[in-house]
Amino acid sequence: DAKTTQPPSMDCAEGRAANLPCNHSTISGNEYVYWYRQIHSQGPQYIIHGLKNNETNEMASLIITEDRKSSTLILPHATLRDTAVYYCFYGGSNYKLTFGKGTLLTVNP
Amino acid sequence: GAVVSQHPSWVICKSGTSVKIECRSLDFQATTMFWYRQFPKQSLMLMATSNEGSKATYEQGVEKDKFLINHASLTLSTLTVTSAHPEDSSFYICSARGPRGLAGKTDEQFFGPGTRLTVL
C-alpha cells in the first residue's frame, strides 16, 4: 500500500492560511498526489490532486516539491467549517485509497 | 460535481437480521465502487472493491459471505450485511469512481454520505 506521512494534528486561526504537509517519498513518476478530507460523521470529500505542477481550485492549492517527495495543501482562508481530518494519498489511475490517520485540522475562532 | 447517494442514512436492526445498503452515483456512471466501514474514532477501512458486472474483490479479513456486494449496474451497488450482530455496528461508506472523460474528473473517488448501522 502507498505510504504517506502526515502530522497527527494542526491548529489554525480562522481567516488565516492553513498549510498541511505530507511526505510521500516512495511515490513513482506516474503517480498522482490526492487530498481528501472528512468532516465529522460525514463521507470523505475530494479536495484536489496533482502530478508535478502546482494546482489550484476553488477549495485549495496544492504545492508539490520538485522531487515530488512531499507536498503541501494550502487552505488560503480557513473557516470553522474547514475543521476536519485531512488525508493525503498517492497512486496511479486505478488507485485504491488506504486511509491512514491523516491530520486533524482544528480551525479556531 | 459528481454526487453519490446512500440509502438508508441510518438503520437500526435486531441481531440476526440482514440489512441492505444502497449506493448510487446520481450523475455519472461508476465503473468502480468501493465499500468502507469506519468504527468510532478510527479511520475508514476499505472492505471491498467492485467493478460493474463482476464479482467484488474483498480486502483481507473481510468475510465475503457476510458482506455481500452487488454491482449490477453502472449507477448502483449494494452491500448486504447478513446475519448482523452488534459488532457489525459501524458507519458504512461507499465511493464511486467514474470512467475517463468525466469532465476532467477522471480519477477522483466521490464518496457517499455514509450509513450508520446499529445492531441491537
Side-chain angles (χ1 to χ4, degrees), chain A residues 21-52:
Chain A
C22 178
N23 287 325
H24 33 78
S25 58
T26 57
I27 191 170
S28 298
N30 61 348
E31 292 179 315
Y32 286 76
V33 178
Y34 299 86
W35 283 83
Y36 286 75
R37 71 179 181 184
Q38 186 181 25
I39 295 170
H40 183 63
S41 294
Q42 296 183 23
Q45 177 188 24
Y46 164 82
I47 302 173
I48 199 168
H49 76 283
L51 183 62
K52 292 181 183 178

Side-chain angles (χ1 to χ4, degrees), chain B residues 25-80:
Chain B
S25 56
L26 298 185
D27 51 2
F28 69 102
Q29 293 182 329
T31 50
T32 305
M33 286 186 168
F34 303 85
W35 286 95
Y36 300 81
R37 69 179 166 185
Q38 185 176 34
F39 294 108
K41 298 188 178 181
Q42 295 186 22
S43 285
L44 282 76
M45 185 192 78
L46 178 65
M47 299 175 66
T49 303
S50 77
N51 294 297
E52 185 264 341
S54 61
K55 289 184 178 180
T57 302
Y58 290 80
E59 295 298 306
Q60 191 172 9
V62 178
E63 301 174 58
K64 62 180 181 181
D65 294 330
K66 182 169 181 63
F67 299 99
L68 302 179
I69 292 172
N70 184 285
H71 190 169
S73 78
L74 285 172
T75 59
L76 173 64
S77 177
T78 60
L79 168 68
T80 301

Side-chain angles (χ1 to χ4, degrees), chain B residues 51-118:
Chain B
N51 294 297
E52 185 264 341
S54 61
K55 289 184 178 180
T57 302
Y58 290 80
E59 295 298 306
Q60 191 172 9
V62 178
E63 301 174 58
K64 62 180 181 181
D65 294 330
K66 182 169 181 63
F67 299 99
L68 302 179
I69 292 172
N70 184 285
H71 190 169
S73 78
L74 285 172
T75 59
L76 173 64
S77 177
T78 60
L79 168 68
T80 301
V81 183
T82 62
S83 187
H85 290 95
E87 57 265 30
D88 298 322
S89 298
S90 189
F91 191 46
Y92 291 86
I93 305 169
C94 73
S95 71
R97 187 168 66 205
R100 290 193 171 273
L102 180 65
K105 295 184 183 294
T106 56
D107 293 330
E108 304 96 280
Q109 289 185 31
F110 301 98
F111 285 82
T115 297
R116 190 161 301 283
L117 169 64
T118 302

Side-chain angles (χ1 to χ4, degrees), chain A residues 10-11 25-26 30 60 71 75 81 90 96 106:
Chain A
M10 293 183 67
D11 282 275
S25 58
T26 57
N30 61 348
S71 62
L75 306 178
R81 288 174 294 182
Y90 67 88
K96 290 195 305 186
T106 303

Side-chain angles (χ1 to χ4, degrees), chain A residues 24 27 31-35 49-55 61-72:
Chain A
H24 33 78
I27 191 170
E31 292 179 315
Y32 286 76
V33 178
Y34 299 86
W35 283 83
H49 76 283
L51 183 62
K52 292 181 183 178
N53 300 321
N54 298 336
E55 302 287 343
S61 294
L62 174 61
I63 308 298
I64 303 173
T65 58
E66 193 169 340
D67 63 8
R68 303 208 327 119
K69 293 183 184 296
S70 65
S71 62
T72 301

